[in-house]
Amino acid sequence: MTNTAFARYRAEWFSGAGPARRDILAGMVGTFALIPEVIAFSFVAGIDPEVGLFASFVIGIVIAFAGGRPAMISGAAGSVALVVAALVHAHGLQYLLAATLLAGVFQIAFGLARLDVLLRFVSRSVRTGFVNALAILIFSAQVPQMLGVSWHTYAMIAGGLAIIYLVPRITTAIPSPLICIVVLTGISIAFPMPIHTVADLGRLPASLPSFAWPAVPFDWQTLRIVAPYAFAMAAVGLLESMMTASVVDEMTETSSSKARECTGLGLANFAAGLFGGIAGCGMIGQTVGNVRYGGRGRLSTLVAGVFLLVVMVPLRPWVAQVPVAALVAIMIMVSVSTFSWGSLRDLGRHPKVSGVVMLATVAVTVATHDLSAGVAVGVLLSGVFFAYKVTRLMTVASTYDAASDTRTYTVAGQVFFASADIFADQFELRDTAARVRIDLTAAHLWDVTAVGALEDVVGKMRRHGTSVDVIGLNEASAILVDRHAPLLAR
């Protein structure tokens, strides 16, 4: 590590007493936001809550040191839980732990291969749709906690929202969500009422996680079972982590190493598997909350993990009494602040295709409850719309010189797989001119499909007795032609 890189890494840990205090308090808020979601996702995966909580503790600590995005909170996430539910149901927890180890290996390999560059294919419209869908999912996840409950729960939620909203107008020394948790817990203890508490969500761990290899046969058959799930866990986890890191980059106006985040997440998941935990990834809701309430450095990530361990064991009796209403109020406020309200106004100002991509990303994500599916659809639509737009920018103009009996086709624009057929249709293959010149000075051939289309046009004209010359190839296009259609130069 160079001196500059080391100085930056050190600043990511400690940049003053004030930022450190904010990191610590924001990380504590992140811990409380983790608990209900991790427990809920554990049920989705078909595992005990302690498996998800152990994973979140281990991942949080490892990613704080090895990750590439400071202030990002990672843990057992819903998308990963959905992927492995079938594996747990068919083969049990031990095979899940083996798949978690292999997923970590895959992610380390992805990071070393710098596959994070694929994130460049995610357009701004997709990222906006991702954030808006996330806000909707965060809010919808709170709805079950507000159905079939007493009026006391609604009063507590309203009181929590008031505290979170009003306290920052008085002081920002302590994050308002933390004050919300303390105050509502104190009220529920002093005045017993029929409300749900964290203890009602599931059994909290009574001991620390312990090191152990998965109890499965280490043979080819086991690999065949766990490899598909491990690859899916690795891909989905990296996609969510990369998207979360990008959101934090925009919120904090800073940059981060996505390749390092890949390898860091891989190390964290490998460690989680060794300590009896499920694989995880960046948790966008908790991360946004962490950043909103002052978390900026790696210390906030570390505190979220360490404090989760403290909460799980020594403070277990106290945490069990925290009203779910307090956590619901926090997540409602996070969902409101996460949603990009300006994107609704932009629907009327931006190009329609951008709005379609954003809305499609939101619709698919909300319908499937799978952030990766929404992003995949958004990226696919972005690619289709881009290809369609580029094909419309390609033109082929024809001029005829009677003196030399020569017809010149002047091509301008990008010729690739999506525009190759349109390109070929612009030529009169049975041209009556003695000579044909195809001028590509203002064009670029991008792939073998484009070269193949040009080769077909030239070949058919020559078979009909027309002399054809191809001129104006730029260097990159000429290399493609020489490699895949050398007869064009003849």
Side-chain angles (χ1 to χ4, degrees):
M1 183 180 290
T2 64
N3 291 335
T4 302
F6 178 76
R8 178 176 178 177
Y9 184 76
R10 183 175 60 185
E12 291 173 349
W13 274 104
F14 183 79
S15 58
R21 178 180 57 80
R22 288 193 293 270
D23 277 347
I24 292 172
L25 295 174
M28 293 170 67
V29 172
T31 296
F32 283 103
L34 270 172
I35 293 173
E37 195 163 339
V38 169
I39 292 175
F41 292 156
S42 297
F43 284 121
V44 170
I47 55 180
D48 290 333
E50 65 179 16
V51 177
L53 292 169
F54 282 161
S56 299
F57 156 65
V58 175
I59 292 172
I61 291 178
V62 175
I63 206 74
F65 290 93
R69 173 65 259 180
M72 195 163 103
I73 295 179
S74 299
S79 56
V80 176
L82 289 170
V83 168
V84 301
L87 174 63
V88 175
H89 178 74
H91 300 282
L93 175 62
Q94 295 302 316
Y95 279 83
L96 169 61
L97 300 182
T100 297
L101 293 178
L102 186 57
V105 173
F106 282 147
Q107 289 171 334
I108 293 172
F110 291 163
L112 294 177
R114 301 196 67 85
L115 295 184
D116 58 289
V117 297
L118 296 177
L119 189 66
R120 297 174 185 173
F121 294 95
V122 180
S123 67
R124 185 179 184 87
S125 298
V126 176
R127 297 185 189 188
T128 302
F130 173 85
V131 170
N132 289 346
L134 170 72
I136 295 172
L137 289 179
I138 291 174
F139 182 83
S140 63
Q142 314 313 311
V143 173
Q145 303 296 341
M146 297 185 286
L147 298 177
V149 296
S150 65
W151 66 267
H152 306 82
T153 299
Y154 295 112
M156 294 285 271
I157 293 174
L161 290 172
I163 292 172
I164 296 171
Y165 181 74
L166 296 175
V167 165
R169 297 173 178 268
I170 302 172
T171 178
T172 57
I174 301 177
S176 57
L178 196 57
I179 296 176
C180 167
I181 291 172
V182 173
V183 171
L184 295 191
T185 302
I187 293 174
S188 66
I189 294 174
F191 306 97
M193 59 187 77
I195 59 175
H196 293 300
T197 63
V198 170
D200 298 319
L201 296 177
R203 181 170 61 90
L204 296 177
S207 62
L208 299 177
S210 57
F211 177 90
W213 284 98
V216 298
F218 285 87
D219 55 21
W220 176 249
Q221 181 62 24
T222 300
L223 182 62
R224 288 182 59 187
I225 292 173
V226 303
Y229 293 98
F231 186 83
M233 292 162 68
V236 169
L238 286 181
L239 177 60
E240 284 210 37
S241 290
M242 295 302 97
M243 293 296 292
T244 302
S246 296
V247 170
V248 179
D249 288 350
E250 291 187 12
M251 291 177 64
T252 60
E253 298 182 350
T254 59
S255 60
S256 59
S257 172
K258 305 303 185 298
R260 183 172 180 179
E261 187 63 33
C262 290
T263 55
L265 182 62
L267 291 171
N269 282 330
F270 191 85
L274 293 177
F275 283 90
I278 185 177
C281 62
M283 302 187 73
I284 181 73
Q286 286 69 22
T287 298
V288 170
N290 181 45
V291 174
R292 294 284 186 196
Y293 299 121
R296 290 294 184 274
R298 295 179 180 273
L299 184 59
S300 64
T301 305
L302 180 65
V303 168
V306 172
F307 192 59
L308 181 60
L309 178 64
V310 174
V311 163
M312 283 194 301
V313 184
L315 299 182
R316 181 169 171 264
W318 183 84
V319 173
Q321 300 181 67
V322 173
V324 173
L327 306 179
V328 170
I330 292 173
M331 297 312 292
I332 288 177
M333 192 59 72
V334 168
S335 69
V336 171
S337 60
T338 299
F339 194 90
S340 176
W341 299 100
S343 64
L344 300 179
R345 180 189 65 249
D346 293 337
L347 285 175
R349 301 191 307 173
H350 289 177
K352 291 182 179 180
V353 292
S354 297
V356 170
V357 170
M358 191 271 284
L359 293 174
T361 303
V362 172
V364 173
T365 302
V366 172
T368 63
H369 284 233
D370 187 346
L371 292 168
S372 60
V375 171
V377 169
V379 171
L380 178 62
L381 284 177
S382 296
V384 170
F385 289 145
F386 172 76
Y388 177 72
K389 182 177 181 180
V390 170
T391 59
R392 297 181 63 187
L393 297 177
M394 189 204 68
T395 60
V396 179
S398 172
T399 58
Y400 177 70
D401 180 13
S404 60
D405 195 17
T406 300
R407 187 179 303 280
T408 301
Y409 291 94
T410 303
V411 184
Q414 314 302 314
V415 187
F416 63 116
F417 67 90
S419 61
D421 288 343
I422 299 175
F423 164 81
D425 291 341
Q426 305 303 308
F427 296 90
E428 177 56 56
L429 300 180
R430 296 179 179 274
D431 204 307
T432 57
R435 298 182 59 207
V436 168
R437 181 182 291 113
I438 301 177
D439 187 354
L440 297 171
T441 304
H444 184 86
L445 306 182
W446 281 99
D447 54 21
V448 293
T449 305
V451 173
L454 178 62
E455 184 180 31
D456 285 345
V457 168
V458 173
K460 290 174 181 178
M461 285 184 171
R462 286 175 175 173
R463 283 196 294 272
H464 292 134
T466 305
S467 175
V468 183
D469 294 319
V470 178
I471 63 173
L473 284 169
N474 58 34
E475 183 178 355
S477 299
I479 292 175
L480 270 179
V481 169
D482 290 342
R483 183 178 301 168
H484 300 288
L487 294 180
L488 284 180
R490 298 173 64 181

